[in-house]
Amino acid sequence: MAPHVFLLGFLAVTCYVASADPSPLQDFCVADLNSPISVNGYVCKNRNLVQVDDFFLSGVNVPGNTSNAIGSNVTHFFAANFPALNTLGVSMARIDYAPYGLNPPHYHPRASEILTVLEGTLEVGFVTSSTYNPPNQLISKVIRKGDAVVFPEALTHFQQNLGNSPAVALATFSSQNPDVNTIANTVFGSNPAIPSYILAKAFQVSESVIADIQSQFGNDLKLLNKGEDKDGSQV
Ligand SMILES: *[C@@H]1O[C@H](CO)[C@@H](O)[C@H](O)[C@H]1NC(C)=O
Ligand SMILES: *[C@@H]1O[C@H](CO)[C@@H](O)[C@H](O)[C@H]1NC(C)=O
């Protein structure tokens, strides 16, 4: 093997190790969500208290309510509400889209994502990093039922329902807690707000344009920022 090929392989392996959740040191470690001890992830529930049902999940078939400003609803199944995922490095989400509904530009700081269309037709895309070559390239396509797309870790991506009937997708993630940063909410809906003179300069528009956008974040867009799951718990 040529030395540079070996080096590339070595780099690929080390980068992978550095960017995914840590590997488990036992078969499983069902999260004890009530433990007062804080670790990277969750403390394992006592092995004797682990039940068969801990490894099962229901309700993935239940649609989220898409009657909101953007017409989408993401139901997360992360370690915080599916405790068996703790230490396993995977999680998932169900995404419902109203007709023409949008899952707005956002990124997951800790996971790559595979999104599979279960129903409907979506325009999906992600944008490369600002120092990648070429920088900030939009990679997008219209995908249909049965198609899938991968969104690389920490890159900004979106999906828009192109149909006049509801659409559904299933997302799977390479982390037990991918987390979500929605661009519009983090930039315009932070609490307290980023001063408008900063955003005016960053976006090269007047402060009144910024104030107008910021004012949109007093209503249900605020709720969308909280990452609320089906039973109202924070994930
Ligand atoms: C998503 O759907 C759930 C279940 O219907 C609902 O409780 C929640 O408020 C919805 N979230 C948003 C942001 O609309
Ligand atoms: C969906 O959310 C809207 C807005 O909050 C609400 O009016 C409606 O009753 C909800 N629908 C269901 C089925 O819960």
Side-chain angles (χ1 to χ4, degrees):
M1 203 189 320
H4 65 277
V5 174
F6 177 78
L7 180 64
L8 278 180
F10 177 75
L11 283 176
V13 169
T14 47
C15 290
Y16 175 76
V17 168
S19 63
D21 286 5
S23 298
L25 299 175
Q26 61 280 301
D27 282 4
F28 49 79
C29 167
V30 176
D32 177 357
L33 298 178
N34 298 320
S35 172
I37 299 168
S38 178
V39 295
N40 188 22
Y42 296 98
V43 169
C44 306
K45 188 167 156 179
N46 182 332
R47 177 65 184 89
N48 298 327
L49 300 179
V50 172
Q51 318 223 314
V52 169
D53 279 349
D54 284 331
F55 299 95
F56 295 84
L57 178 69
S58 301
V60 186
N61 60 321
V62 180
N65 186 338
T66 58
S67 300
N68 53 51
I70 54 175
S72 74
N73 192 314
V74 183
T75 308
H76 299 120
F77 302 102
F78 294 173
N81 61 343
F82 188 8
L85 299 184
N86 188 40
T87 74
L88 299 184
V90 293
S91 60
M92 65 180 195
R94 175 193 171 110
I95 305 146
D96 288 281
Y97 311 83
Y100 307 106
L102 172 71
N103 187 13
H106 65 279
Y107 69 92
H108 306 286
R110 287 180 288 277
S112 293
E113 168 179 351
I114 297 176
L115 180 129
T116 306
V117 184
L118 302 182
E119 209 56 65
T121 300
L122 303 176
E123 179 175 358
V124 305
F126 68 89
V127 180
T128 63
S129 300
S130 300
T131 57
Y132 197 73
N133 187 13
N136 301 131
Q137 183 188 7
L138 172 65
I139 295 174
S140 76
K141 194 166 169 172
V142 173
I143 62 172
R144 299 183 166 76
K145 180 174 182 168
D147 296 341
V149 54
V150 60
F151 300 124
E153 179 166 319
L155 296 190
T156 300
H157 57 277
F158 61 83
Q159 306 104 40
Q160 161 97 51
N161 180 5
L162 294 184
N164 62 2
S165 52
V168 188
L170 189 70
T172 50
F173 301 97
S174 61
S175 170
Q176 69 172 41
N177 182 23
D179 229 317
V180 185
N181 287 329
T182 304
I183 305 300
N185 301 65
T186 56
V187 175
F188 297 105
S190 69
N191 186 16
I194 298 175
S196 56
Y197 58 84
I198 290 182
L199 295 179
K201 194 158 189 168
F203 286 84
Q204 295 290 294
V205 295
S206 70
E207 285 189 44
S208 65
V209 169
I210 296 297
D212 188 26
I213 301 174
Q214 283 175 327
S215 72
Q216 302 304 311
F217 287 83
N219 47 39
D220 61 342
L221 284 175
K222 205 82 175 175
L223 174 69
L224 290 163
N225 198 21
K226 289 202 300 190
E228 210 162 11
D229 76 36
K230 199 162 279 306
D231 41 50
S233 52
Q234 299 294 305
V235 294

PDB file of all heavy atoms in Angstrom, residues 65-68, ligand 2:
ATOM      1  N   ASN A  65     -48.407  17.342  15.187  1.00  0.00           N
ATOM      2  CA  ASN A  65     -49.365  18.369  14.755  1.00  0.00           C
ATOM      3  C   ASN A  65     -48.624  19.442  13.944  1.00  0.00           C
ATOM      4  O   ASN A  65     -47.777  20.152  14.484  1.00  0.00           O
ATOM      5  CB  ASN A  65     -50.028  18.961  16.011  1.00  0.00           C
ATOM      6  CG  ASN A  65     -51.136  19.920  15.672  1.00  0.00           C
ATOM      7  OD1 ASN A  65     -51.192  20.478  14.579  1.00  0.00           O
ATOM      8  ND2 ASN A  65     -52.035  20.144  16.633  1.00  0.00           N
ATOM      9  N   THR A  66     -48.950  19.549  12.677  1.00  0.00           N
ATOM     10  CA  THR A  66     -48.228  20.483  11.790  1.00  0.00           C
ATOM     11  C   THR A  66     -48.931  21.833  11.639  1.00  0.00           C
ATOM     12  O   THR A  66     -48.560  22.631  10.771  1.00  0.00           O
ATOM     13  CB  THR A  66     -48.042  19.857  10.395  1.00  0.00           C
ATOM     14  OG1 THR A  66     -49.329  19.541   9.862  1.00  0.00           O
ATOM     15  CG2 THR A  66     -47.189  18.605  10.442  1.00  0.00           C
ATOM     16  N   SER A  67     -49.967  22.093  12.492  1.00  0.00           N
ATOM     17  CA  SER A  67     -50.659  23.394  12.429  1.00  0.00           C
ATOM     18  C   SER A  67     -49.834  24.452  13.141  1.00  0.00           C
ATOM     19  O   SER A  67     -50.166  24.884  14.240  1.00  0.00           O
ATOM     20  CB  SER A  67     -52.039  23.302  13.087  1.00  0.00           C
ATOM     21  OG  SER A  67     -52.817  22.358  12.427  1.00  0.00           O
ATOM     22  N   ASN A  68     -48.743  24.851  12.516  1.00  0.00           N
ATOM     23  CA  ASN A  68     -47.905  25.911  13.078  1.00  0.00           C
ATOM     24  C   ASN A  68     -47.370  26.756  11.919  1.00  0.00           C
ATOM     25  O   ASN A  68     -47.647  26.459  10.749  1.00  0.00           O
ATOM     26  CB  ASN A  68     -46.781  25.309  13.930  1.00  0.00           C
ATOM     27  CG  ASN A  68     -45.976  24.269  13.174  1.00  0.00           C
ATOM     28  OD1 ASN A  68     -45.516  24.530  12.068  1.00  0.00           O
ATOM     29  ND2 ASN A  68     -45.821  23.085  13.754  1.00  0.00           N
TER      30      ASN A  68
HETATM   31  C1  LIG B   2     -53.059  21.157  16.351  1.00  0.00           C
HETATM   32  O1  LIG B   2     -52.577  22.413  16.797  1.00  0.00           O
HETATM   33  C2  LIG B   2     -53.497  23.470  16.599  1.00  0.00           C
HETATM   34  C3  LIG B   2     -52.780  24.760  16.928  1.00  0.00           C
HETATM   35  O2  LIG B   2     -52.177  24.689  18.202  1.00  0.00           O
HETATM   36  C4  LIG B   2     -54.740  23.218  17.437  1.00  0.00           C
HETATM   37  O3  LIG B   2     -55.680  24.248  17.241  1.00  0.00           O
HETATM   38  C5  LIG B   2     -55.355  21.875  17.020  1.00  0.00           C
HETATM   39  O4  LIG B   2     -56.432  21.570  17.872  1.00  0.00           O
HETATM   40  C6  LIG B   2     -54.317  20.769  17.110  1.00  0.00           C
HETATM   41  N1  LIG B   2     -54.862  19.544  16.535  1.00  0.00           N
HETATM   42  C7  LIG B   2     -54.832  18.380  17.174  1.00  0.00           C
HETATM   43  C8  LIG B   2     -55.402  17.217  16.431  1.00  0.00           C
HETATM   44  O5  LIG B   2     -54.375  18.257  18.303  1.00  0.00           O
END
